[in-house]
Structure formats: C-alpha cells, structure tokens
Amino acid sequence: MDNHQTNALDTMNLTDNSQGTSWQLIGLSSALADLTIDIDKSLSIGRSYSNDLVFASAHLSRLHAKIKHINDKQYVQDLGSSTGTFMNGER
C-alpha cells in the first residue's frame, strides 16, 4: 500500500520509508504539516478517545478506520464510517 487518505479530510498519507523497515503516517494539510507517525503496529483512527489516533473533526466517525499491521504489510479497514475511507482515490 502506498497511500491512504480519508475522504473528508484528505490530510494524511501512509507511506513506506526509504529503508523499507517501517511505515509512516504523514500529515499533508497545513493543520497537520508537522505530524509524522511511525506505524509499526495496528492502530485505530477516529473521534473517540478509545482510538489510538484521535482527531477532533466532524468529518470523521467516532470509530472511523483501522490500519492493520500484519506480517510487515499495512492494510486499511473502514470501520463503518459515514464518510468512508479512501485509498489511492478509491473507496
């Protein structure tokens, strides 16, 4: 997987780093420009404080999506969000 973006925000990318040893979630919008998170395990994203990554945005569902880290590969799972989760421009 090369890119992950949520439809409503279009503010994050999930990319493989240059060494290929880990993945990074990188902020793209001006509000998240300084945000880079190394992904080495599965994590959840949404508005609820029960998530690993919490974003206070009405565009995200409480339990929006999950990035699954399985055997050094990343998978994106939409958790039934109302706005959907997009990867490479596809829902």
Side-chain angles (χ1 to χ4, degrees):
M1 168 177 43
D2 294 326
N3 295 304
H4 168 260
Q5 299 174 346
T6 55
N7 179 34
L9 296 181
D10 203 25
T11 58
M12 305 294 292
N13 257 357
L14 180 64
T15 59
D16 190 0
N17 74 6
S18 60
Q19 290 94 26
T21 57
S22 68
W23 291 78
Q24 294 180 321
L25 195 60
I26 301 171
L28 298 177
S29 72
S30 58
L32 299 174
D34 294 331
L35 180 67
T36 299
I37 300 169
D38 290 327
I39 307 295
D40 59 358
K41 63 178 184 153
S42 297
L43 58 87
S44 59
I45 301 168
R47 289 190 338 253
S48 171
Y49 288 110
S50 65
N51 290 294
D52 300 304
L53 290 176
V54 178
F55 293 97
S57 170
H59 299 289
L60 290 176
S61 297
R62 284 185 213 81
L63 302 173
H64 194 90
K66 185 165 190 137
I67 298 173
K68 294 182 177 186
H69 182 81
I70 303 170
N71 297 326
D72 294 325
K73 293 183 181 179
Q74 304 295 327
Y75 300 90
V76 177
Q77 176 187 12
D78 184 272
L79 298 176
S81 67
S82 57
T83 57
T85 300
F86 289 70
M87 185 171 73
N88 297 330
E90 292 186 34
R91 191 173 196 164

